[in-house]
Amino acid sequence: MDQKFMEIAIEQAKKAFSEGEVPVGAVIVKDNEVIAVGRNKRESSKNALSHAEIEAINNACEKLGGWRLWECDIYVTLEPCPMCAGAIINARIPNVYFGAYDKNFGCCGSTLNILELQNSFKPHYEGGIMEKECSEILSYFFKKLRQK
């Protein structure tokens, strides 16, 4: 785990925030090099699938020319939801690092743990990385949203 990659994910979350999106960012790393980034784009794309992790996985698959990301790690500012946890398993990403825990939809231990279901591929995961910074961006976004 390398904190500098979570900092890049936070930058993606800030970009999402500035675009009026829920501020979640993701980074995929291979051999200690960023190969793909993603951020929430559900509002701009009008697509429920446009989560940060899905965007990053799509970008990584395009860059590497395949769907198996078994030599990659993913860093994401918010605990993955059921859809994203499933996509991480299906992409065979072995390591998942996330910042803020999601008590409503988190599926890496908060509400459910999809990564530990009885399937043939079980990624390692670690949460709470730069949790304060990741949580503050989300809290500020929703505070501003409620003020509107």
Side-chain angles (χ1 to χ4, degrees):
M1 196 289 299
D2 194 327
Q3 185 171 317
K4 73 180 177 187
F5 297 125
M6 186 59 77
E7 290 169 356
I8 296 168
I10 289 170
E11 287 303 313
Q12 288 298 309
K14 289 178 180 177
K15 285 182 182 178
F17 182 99
S18 71
E19 296 165 350
E21 302 279 354
V22 174
V24 179
V27 174
I28 295 182
V29 176
K30 180 181 179 192
D31 298 327
N32 212 33
E33 178 185 333
V34 174
I35 60 160
V37 298
R39 63 183 177 273
N40 247 355
K41 293 183 179 178
R42 289 185 304 171
E43 299 300 328
S44 61
S45 72
K46 308 293 188 230
N47 186 330
L49 303 178
S50 293
H51 285 206
E53 299 95 323
I54 302 298
E55 296 284 320
I57 289 169
N58 281 335
N59 292 337
C61 290
E62 285 180 20
K63 181 164 185 170
L64 296 176
W67 63 269
R68 290 178 187 88
L69 303 177
W70 61 277
E71 295 178 315
C72 300
D73 299 331
I74 188 167
Y75 293 77
V76 61
T77 58
L78 182 64
E79 180 179 4
C81 72
M83 173 180 70
C84 293
I88 289 165
I89 290 168
N90 283 315
R92 306 297 193 265
I93 299 173
N95 296 298
V96 181
Y97 304 105
F98 66 88
Y101 288 86
D102 185 346
K103 303 297 182 201
N104 295 318
F105 299 105
C107 283
C108 298
S110 287
T111 61
L112 186 64
N113 197 333
I114 289 177
L115 301 183
E116 290 188 354
L117 291 177
Q118 294 298 321
N119 46 48
S120 61
F121 183 78
K122 293 183 184 184
H124 162 79
Y125 62 94
E126 184 179 336
I129 299 157
M130 298 184 69
E131 182 176 8
K132 182 177 183 267
E133 295 88 336
C134 295
S135 294
E136 284 175 350
I137 297 167
L138 287 157
S139 295
Y140 184 66
F141 176 82
F142 286 111
K143 180 181 177 184
K144 289 192 67 81
L145 194 61
R146 284 190 295 275
Q147 289 173 351
K148 289 182 182 177

